[in-house]
Amino acid sequence: MGHHETTIFTEISALAVRHDAVNLGQGFPDTDAALREAVAAALESGQNQYPPLSGRPDLLAAIAAHQRHWYGLEVDPASQVLVTVGATEAVAATILAFCEPGDEVVMFAPFYDAYAGVVDLAGAVRRTCPLAFPDFAVDEDALRAAFTDRTRLVLLNTPHNPTGKVFSRPELELIARLAVEHDAWVVTDEVYEHLTFGVPHVPIATLPGMAERTLTVSSAGKTFSVTGWKVGWVTGPAPAVAAVAAVKQYLTFGAGGPFQAGVAAGLGLPDETFHSLRDALQAKRDLLVDALTSLGLPVAVPAGTYFVVADMAPLGVTDALALARELPARAGVAAIPVTVFHDDPDADPTLLRFAFCKRDDVLREGARRLSRLLG
Ligand SMILES: Cc1ncc(COP(=O)(O)O)c(C=O)c1O
């Protein structure tokens, strides 16, 4: 896939603009949180040069404090934390640092689209374990079958894009057991860590024996609704973080000094701020899930993330990719076909992913337009 789905995202967003469609396709929110003052202060006081390779010291300290406060994970800010250009660079630099050509990466399909490109770039090989609509549960035999003696990494994503699944503790324990058995590292993308609805987010690094073989990736974009800032990070054992930094220095070195200051301020906000951002998003999830359900569409109610997957099969849809191309013009709505999150072009042919990180009036208008189409 790689290039294929980048085209689809760009194409659907362009169609959305052309047809003045309600864009429930790409996951960018249209509200933002109150970290701007810290960015403005850094900017106005002239902190506009290269930040250090590993990140601003105030942000490194804030990330370490965040891991301790929320999860009881101890990481040394000086050696076990690396600030990156979004979670995207953290995942890319980690895979490039760890994988030699022919190494295998165990992943769950569907998967966030950027993963495929960087696994390809490293010359590594994807081994996927399917997650099936509507519960997206991990099948132990399927997961076991994805591991071989060439397994180098497990690339986990919880809460999971595009399904909205939050991996359960028993599922994480199974992944951990298999990783240990095959002496594999785990790279876990937890960008939606604060956006779970009624279920806890469990970092796999908190499981016994896992901190020493896990690189945990996150980002400010989703937590604080600042996706354009692209401030992410990776934490883990010092030698592994150093290996990732060695790759990162030749990718970007660093970026966004003033934004790093904003995120440092954000991570230190009281728990209630995180909870209220989550609660606001949960209400939006409920709004969109109710709307899709009342249209007669089976949905997988997401336990986290920005996204809900709905099955269009009851409408006679057999090709959600074709439908996604038509929807902006026909209904004035944009959504993403789940097929593009797979290597197999025939996988999940009837599923669409809708984003609910939008203003309520935008969500309601999207639902109205869909019901007009279906009614
Ligand atoms: C699972 C996942 N990882 C990473 C990202 C990108 O994170 P960032 O913008 O911090 O690079 C996204 C954004 O959609 C995502 O859904």
Side-chain angles (χ1 to χ4, degrees), residues 206-278:
T206 61
L207 269 47
M210 289 309 289
E212 66 208 52
R213 60 173 68 245
T214 300
L215 284 155
T216 304
V217 169
S218 194
S219 155
K222 317 294 177 178
T223 299
F224 301 115
S225 297
V226 291
T227 58
W229 289 9
K230 296 295 285 192
V231 175
W233 52 87
V234 52
T235 59
V241 170
V244 178
V247 172
K248 181 211 156 43
Q249 74 178 315
Y250 296 121
L251 293 177
T252 59
F253 192 82
F259 294 114
Q260 292 191 19
V263 173
L267 288 174
L269 288 171
D271 292 9
E272 301 82 71
T273 308
F274 292 78
H275 295 155
S276 66
L277 288 163
R278 175 203 63 200

Side-chain angles (χ1 to χ4, degrees), residues 27 85-89 91 112 115 157 159-161 189 191-192 218-222 227 230-232 307 353:
V85 183
T88 306
E89 189 193 37
V91 170
Y112 176 54
Y115 299 160
N157 169 216
H160 184 260
N161 177 12
D189 177 345
V191 298
Y192 299 100
S218 194
S219 155
K222 317 294 177 178
T227 58
K230 296 295 285 192
V231 175
F307 306 109
R353 188 199 74 176

Side-chain angles (χ1 to χ4, degrees), residues 17-48:
V17 170
R18 182 175 331 141
H19 297 288
D20 198 21
V22 171
N23 194 346
L24 306 182
Q26 246 180 338
F28 50 81
D30 48 13
T31 54
D32 75 22
L35 291 74
R36 282 170 283 177
E37 271 173 35
V39 176
L43 213 140
E44 301 269 326
S45 65
Q47 299 171 45
N48 295 304

Side-chain angles (χ1 to χ4, degrees), residues 170-220:
E171 287 175 332
L172 296 173
E173 285 167 351
L174 172 65
I175 295 164
R177 212 161 46 239
L178 290 168
V180 170
E181 241 172 66
H182 289 84
D183 196 21
W185 280 72
V186 175
V187 180
T188 176
D189 177 345
E190 304 185 356
V191 298
Y192 299 100
E193 61 185 320
H194 288 292
L195 305 178
T196 67
F197 316 127
V199 297
H201 165 69
V202 180
I204 195 167
T206 61
L207 269 47
M210 289 309 289
E212 66 208 52
R213 60 173 68 245
T214 300
L215 284 155
T216 304
V217 169
S218 194
S219 155

